[in-house]
Amino acid sequence: QMGLTFEHCNSAEQGLILFEEHSYDLVLLDIVLMGKKDGIEMIKEIRARQDHKNLIPLLAMSGTSKTSERIHALRVGANDFITKPVVQAELSVRVKNLIVARQLHLKIISQQQDLEKLAMTDQLTGLYNRYFLSSFIEKALSLSKRHKYPLSLIMIDLDKFKFINDNFGHELGDEVLVKISSELQKNC
């Protein structure tokens, strides 16, 4: 009724396999499931992941009226909890809110990555800038020493580049920088 697609399974084991194989915007799970694992174990396993999937919203449900069970599900990582029998309007609102929050979170992550790239690279050439170098070099040197592998750093100075800008214009100067940076990226 909400225009969403879904996949259904009866056990946490099956759910975790589906979760591994596919990408979801939301997981709606019952605390009581068939199989050896329950919904709490499924929540714990999803939250213990070391990838981006560990942040997918989880909406837990149960027919229990025990407050302690609901609180426990939230403590181990469920984003929200709904009690059965489910009121359709309430489920719709909770699902919509969790999906919208997920979409906003993904947008923030994307914008943060864009800002980091802008802060650490030259917009014209795409090469790393001095800001990146100052934050990166100490860590790179330390890792190189610790793991005993060589580290190289290339810095270049374009002789008479001011002459190109002054006599042929900044547009041509930009083209020269782009071509040189392209060659550096191809060969390094």
Side-chain angles (χ1 to χ4, degrees):
Q1 292 174 343
M2 294 177 64
L4 302 173
T5 57
F6 67 94
E7 294 179 311
H8 176 267
C9 56
N10 292 319
S11 71
E13 291 83 1
Q14 290 173 331
L16 289 166
I17 291 169
L18 283 175
F19 189 81
E20 182 68 35
E21 294 173 351
H22 303 284
S23 181
Y24 297 102
D25 293 313
L26 173 73
V27 174
L28 174 63
L29 61 103
D30 201 325
I31 297 302
V32 178
L33 295 168
M34 296 170 60
K36 294 180 181 179
K37 297 179 181 178
D38 63 9
I40 296 294
E41 288 301 314
M42 187 170 173
I43 293 169
K44 288 178 181 178
E45 285 192 36
I46 289 172
R47 292 302 183 230
R49 293 177 64 100
Q50 298 298 312
D51 61 10
H52 67 280
K53 285 186 171 185
N54 71 350
L55 296 175
I56 290 174
L58 305 176
L59 175 55
M61 65 167 45
S62 179
T64 185
S65 59
K66 291 182 183 176
T67 304
S68 61
E69 187 174 279
R70 291 192 309 267
I71 292 170
H72 183 60
L74 294 167
R75 278 199 176 124
V76 297
N79 297 83
D80 200 357
F81 194 99
I82 192 166
T83 305
K84 296 189 297 186
V86 174
V87 175
Q88 182 65 38
E90 180 184 8
L91 177 63
S92 295
V93 169
R94 289 178 186 272
V95 165
K96 181 182 175 199
N97 288 346
L98 288 169
I99 290 174
V100 167
R102 166 90 171 143
Q103 291 167 341
L104 290 172
H105 183 252
L106 291 174
K107 188 174 182 177
I108 289 169
I109 289 171
S110 175
Q111 289 173 340
Q112 182 180 10
Q113 290 169 343
D114 291 345
L115 287 173
E116 286 174 4
K117 184 178 178 185
L118 280 172
M120 297 206 177
T121 58
D122 178 75
Q123 292 175 359
L124 178 66
T125 64
L127 297 175
Y128 289 112
N129 61 21
R130 184 180 295 167
Y131 176 77
F132 171 81
L133 181 61
S134 65
S135 64
F136 173 79
I137 194 67
E138 286 186 37
K139 183 178 178 182
L141 287 169
S142 175
L143 288 171
S144 175
K145 287 178 186 175
R146 183 180 321 139
H147 299 292
K148 297 182 171 119
Y149 63 79
L151 176 68
S152 299
L153 176 67
I154 297 174
M155 295 181 74
I156 63 169
D157 180 32
L158 301 179
D159 289 337
K160 299 183 175 70
F161 184 71
K162 183 175 177 352
F163 175 81
I164 293 171
N165 275 337
D166 290 347
N167 291 295
F168 301 104
H170 289 277
E171 282 186 33
L172 184 65
D174 286 352
E175 286 181 39
V176 169
L177 289 174
V178 168
K179 286 183 181 180
I180 290 172
S181 68
S182 176
E183 288 301 316
L184 286 171
Q185 289 174 340
K186 284 182 203 171
N187 293 293
C188 296

